[in-house]
Amino acid sequence: MNLLDIYKELKSDIQFIEDELSHSLDTSQAVLQESSVHLLHAGGKRIRPVFVLLGGKNGEYNLERLKHVAVALELIHMATLVHDDVIDHADTRRGQLTVKAKWDNRVAMYAGDYILAKSIEIICKLKDARIHHILAKSINEVCLGEIEQIRSLYNWDQNHRTYFLRIKRKTALLMAVCCQLGGLACDVSEKQSKALYYFGYYVGMAFQITDDILDFTGTEKQLGKPAGSDLLQGNITLPVLEAFKQGDTRQLVIKEMEQPKPDMPYVIKLIKKSGGIDQAKQVAQKYLAKARQALEALENSRSKEMFLKITQFIEKRDF
Amino acid sequence: MNLLDIYKELKSDIQFIEDELSHSLDTSQAVLQESSVHLLHAGGKRIRPVFVLLGGKNGEYNLERLKHVAVALELIHMATLVHDDVIDHADTRRGQLTVKAKWDNRVAMYAGDYILAKSIEIICKLKDARIHHILAKSINEVCLGEIEQIRSLYNWDQNHRTYFLRIKRKTALLMAVCCQLGGLACDVSEKQSKALYYFGYYVGMAFQITDDILDFTGTEKQLGKPAGSDLLQGNITLPVLEAFKQGDTRQLVIKEMEQPKPDMPYVIKLIKKSGGIDQAKQVAQKYLAKARQALEALENSRSKEMFLKITQFIEKRDF
């Protein structure tokens, strides 16, 4: 199943959002535009804008209002990617040179800041203080999540709670807010707003856990980077935490990771053998089940169907 | 004259803002709090919060509303300082180790992001979409200014226009917005709002030009860093641009700056001899005159007096 099939119905609205996204980064500052547009063209699933649109379908669907929400939230996501790359020292993202690799770190940092500032300017086009507030808080949380991630790098003693809080902030909250703000921009009820928020949150958790699994199980071609990159860079994710529960996996993995050039295929094998991947998949499943449960409160059947298809897509993802 | 004398009347209100500023950065994330509070304690003139309060005196003075504006704007300023330090590779600011020197660059970057996000969360406590919008745009402009500054580093061919646009974005706009938003948070008229904006803008231009002059004329003890640091790091400011108009100053300065270890005292002497400092002082004076003119439209005499004293302080600054 391809996400694009789910999107087909929303295709022209998504294209409209894409155009708005491009225009939002129009600036006479050449370097800034290059670095931003560079990211835009590197593609991406645009799952967040889709969540915004589907959220809107639960109210008085209004693309003129939804576009501000969709663009603002996608810009926040892009800003974190740009800053992430400064932190991760990544050379490629989605198979293209990162902003960081292409230009000075310093430009990347301010490009990220600019994109973030743009997102706020855009959300202000909706004269809705509540929406501004929710967006502001979500940016806060994303920043905290990123800082927590830096602090947790190479920390072999971290626990599950640390991990879940981190991915909640880094990923799930923004998805929750996409669904919720899409709804609020279209005047949904409090009950719908809450259901949308929780759907997005649970799906976001499942989505990130799946991403973290795929970092071990995917190929370099699929991932756009070598398998095990997260772990190599010190980012300890759920498959590893689950693997560590089993036998002497923990000692063996840490021992190998402390080598100057860890043998990643060997480490990945250890994690798979210990059941770390399978256990993590089960956790993702639990979140997907919660997401589907949250959907029951939604009244708009068409968006409910599409949200449901998205959960099935996440379940079946292998790249 | 000491800024604190001007502030005396506002002393308890400023202290209230200081406390709010500290509380705004309370977070259970230890590293984040350390890096933010570290900046707070490094002091600073708090001229922006003062501008906000004085702006407010031109309307229905309301400290509960003004605090949000003052804290938000000071946080934006702090965020740019944190990011500036990542860019400037500065080891000290105000005589203390910078966030960057103390911790990893990466934490500094996200600390700056977090502080920025906090400022937005705080301005959202004022349910005023127009205020949010003005704040959002000013963040944009500050980011553009910072990027322009990076791009202009070591560019000996840049012109006055580039410089003025840069400092407008980097410094003057934020000061303009401090005055203006202080007024708007207290329901000033459109005319007062405009006068406040232009006062802040002209004073901000004078303030930055004066800062740029002091970077050449101050001592290391006064500046907290060696004189001529701006130029050494490639930041070409008004005294230099003015100096370049005179005789062979340009060739001599560039020749020396291209040495592995430029003789900064010699370069500073060249700039002084060519009249670069004097010319720049005259430009600052012109901006101060415009600022005083803008004050004439203000109706509140007490704030007018204090704003006027601030222009006199800037005029007489020697550190």
Side-chain angles (χ1 to χ4, degrees), chain B residues 234-268:
Chain B
N235 182 15
I236 295 154
T237 58
L238 190 60
V240 179
L241 294 175
E242 289 295 327
F244 277 12
K245 289 174 175 175
Q246 218 280 346
D248 55 3
T249 309
R250 194 189 133 97
Q251 293 97 287
L252 291 172
V253 167
I254 294 176
K255 187 176 172 196
E256 186 60 33
M257 292 310 298
E258 282 175 350
Q259 299 305 312
K261 289 198 178 196
D263 181 347
M264 291 316 293
Y266 164 63
V267 171
I268 293 173

Side-chain angles (χ1 to χ4, degrees), chain A residues 83 87 110 113 121 132 140, chain B residues 83 87 110 113 121 132 140:
Chain A
H83 278 182
I87 285 183
Y110 275 109
D113 290 348
E121 186 192 338
H132 302 170
N140 268 355
Chain B
H83 278 182
I87 284 183
Y110 276 108
D113 289 351
E121 187 193 336
H132 302 170
N140 267 358

Side-chain angles (χ1 to χ4, degrees), chain A residues 208-234:
Chain A
Q208 186 61 55
I209 291 167
T210 306
D211 236 26
D212 293 342
I213 291 167
L214 289 170
D215 193 73
F216 289 106
T217 60
T219 63
E220 182 161 353
K221 191 173 175 189
Q222 290 167 334
L223 296 169
K225 51 184 176 170
S229 292
D230 285 345
L231 186 55
L232 191 58
Q233 289 166 353

Side-chain angles (χ1 to χ4, degrees), chain B residues 137-148:
Chain B
K137 281 211 71 85
S138 62
I139 297 173
N140 267 358
E141 292 291 319
V142 167
C143 288
L144 278 177
E146 296 289 353
I147 294 200
E148 297 277 1

Side-chain angles (χ1 to χ4, degrees), chain A residues 29 31-32 35 106-107 110-111 114, chain B residues 142-152:
Chain A
Q29 224 295 349
V31 170
L32 186 61
S35 54
R106 308 172 299 174
V107 173
Y110 275 109
Y114 177 81
Chain B
V142 167
C143 288
L144 278 177
E146 296 289 353
I147 294 200
E148 297 277 1
Q149 181 159 308
I150 299 164
R151 294 210 68 206
S152 299

Side-chain angles (χ1 to χ4, degrees), chain A residues 167-190:
Chain A
I167 70 168
K168 170 182 173 175
R169 285 174 159 151
K170 256 186 36 120
T171 304
L173 270 180
L174 204 60
M175 291 195 170
V177 159
C178 283
C179 297
Q180 184 190 27
L181 291 189
L184 288 176
C186 297
D187 291 321
V188 295
S189 69
E190 190 56 37

